[in-house]
């Protein structure tokens, strides 16, 4: 008989064990680059492009791309003059992203591993002027929102921005709308968690909302990525 729970981190790791290991799932996901996955395209998110074009986010600072996947947004940020760190659990995704950065002739510092362990320490200590998250947050189990908020607290600079793209509730093709409690009963996160605007505002209440809207639906020939089943949100950390 083991009685090992002593800290909050012990509790978080216990709850992690109620779901399939994320690293294994994402490595298999990114192994086939030919899969018809919308965000495999080499295009930046339309909202990220818009924030920079409208001056809501100033270019040229330090940026962190959480769950960078194949690197499309990290490459764009580097091309706009940011010093970019990018983190993903999947070695296959990081390798693909590094190839894209090399092809684009930009410098991105990629790291493979758990962002909650890496970010805010050592080389990834921050502070970051921009933390960009396109699809990481909505794949977290509910208890890991605690870790996510702690990451923002230690790594995002005062006055810095969180650019967040995540599944929108009530939209066909979006994520699961099971309650947090039911997710644990099912032991399955499905294809990701859908959020209402109210839930995002409540979770991110320590940040100031700059913009929260549906992502624009970008046509196939657009140079930008956009799907209307996603929220596009920009928050600012208090100074």
């Amino acid at each position: 008989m083991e009685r090992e729970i002593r800290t909050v981190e012990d509790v978080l790791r216990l709850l992690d064990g109620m779901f399939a290991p994320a690293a294994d799932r994402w490595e298999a996901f990114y192994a086939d680059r030919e899969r018809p996955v919308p965000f495999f395209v080499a295009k930046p998110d339309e909202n990220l492009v818009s924030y920079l074009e409208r001056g809501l986010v100033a270019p040229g600072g330090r940026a962190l791309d959480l769950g960078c996947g194949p690197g499309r947004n990290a490459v764009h940020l580097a091309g706009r003059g940011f010093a970019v760190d990018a983190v993903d659990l999947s070695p296959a995704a990081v390798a693909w992203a590094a190839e894209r950065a090399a092809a684009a002739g930009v410098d991105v510092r990629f790291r493979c591993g758990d962002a909650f362990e890496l970010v805010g320490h050592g080389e990834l200590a921050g502070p970051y002027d921009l933390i960009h998250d396109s699809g990481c947050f909505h794949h977290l189990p509910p208890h890991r929102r605690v870790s996510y908020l702690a990451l923002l607290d230690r790594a995002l600079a005062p006055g810095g921005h969180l650019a967040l793209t995540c599944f929108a509730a009530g939209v066909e093709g979006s994520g699961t709308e099971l309650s947090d409690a039911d997710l644990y009963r099912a032991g399955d996160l499905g294809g990701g968690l859908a959020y209402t605007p109210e839930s995002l505002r409540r979770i991110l209440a320590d940040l100031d909302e700059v913009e929260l809207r549906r992502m624009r639906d970008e046509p196939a020939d657009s140079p930008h990525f956009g799907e209307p089943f996603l929220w596009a949100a920009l928050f600012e950390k208090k100074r």
Side-chain angles (χ1 to χ4, degrees):
M1 180 180 70
E2 300 293 338
R3 296 282 186 262
E4 298 179 341
I5 301 298
R6 180 176 176 273
T7 68
V8 171
E9 189 59 32
D10 290 336
V11 175
L12 295 176
R13 291 187 183 280
L14 175 69
L15 293 173
D16 285 343
M18 299 183 69
F19 301 97
D24 295 344
R25 176 162 51 95
W26 288 113
E27 185 64 1
F29 183 82
Y30 286 112
D32 181 5
R33 299 184 182 184
E34 302 304 317
R35 295 179 64 179
V37 177
F39 61 84
F40 277 8
V41 296
K43 302 177 181 181
D45 286 349
E46 62 83 7
N47 54 302
L48 178 62
V49 174
S50 175
Y51 300 150
L52 294 167
E53 288 182 344
R54 288 184 288 153
L56 297 180
V57 174
R62 291 193 68 192
L64 171 68
D65 193 12
L66 285 175
C68 66
R72 56 194 180 82
N73 289 299
V75 167
H76 181 74
L77 288 168
R80 290 298 306 270
F82 284 89
V84 183
D85 292 323
V87 179
D88 201 281
L89 280 172
S90 165
V94 169
W96 190 1
E99 290 175 22
R100 282 182 167 176
V106 297
D107 183 26
V108 178
R109 183 166 58 177
F110 292 102
R111 292 290 182 272
C112 185
D114 185 339
F116 298 139
E117 296 179 359
L118 294 175
V119 176
H121 313 287
E123 292 181 339
L124 304 183
Y128 292 100
D129 302 292
L130 172 66
I131 293 181
H132 178 263
D133 175 351
S134 183
C136 177
F137 177 77
H138 63 210
H139 288 294
L140 297 176
H143 61 277
R144 280 298 174 181
R145 293 179 203 136
V146 175
S147 305
Y148 192 92
L149 294 174
L151 182 153
L152 296 179
D153 185 61
R154 66 178 179 264
L156 186 59
H161 291 92
L162 168 68
L164 175 66
T165 303
C166 68
F167 287 139
V171 183
E172 184 178 356
S174 191
T176 180
E177 297 189 24
L178 286 176
S179 70
D180 285 352
D182 284 340
L183 290 169
Y184 290 96
R185 295 185 184 103
D188 185 3
L189 300 176
L193 282 57
Y195 287 85
T196 64
E198 293 75 20
S199 60
L200 288 177
R201 290 176 176 128
R202 183 168 55 252
I203 292 165
L204 298 169
D206 290 339
L207 304 178
D208 292 329
E209 180 184 330
V210 178
E211 182 174 275
L212 175 54
R213 62 171 174 83
R214 290 272 288 282
M215 183 180 254
R216 289 197 298 267
D217 188 4
E218 294 289 329
D221 61 351
S222 170
H224 309 139
F225 170 85
E227 293 286 352
F229 55 78
L230 297 165
W231 291 121
L234 185 66
F235 289 83
E236 183 176 350
K237 187 174 182 178
K238 292 178 173 61
R239 297 178 185 273

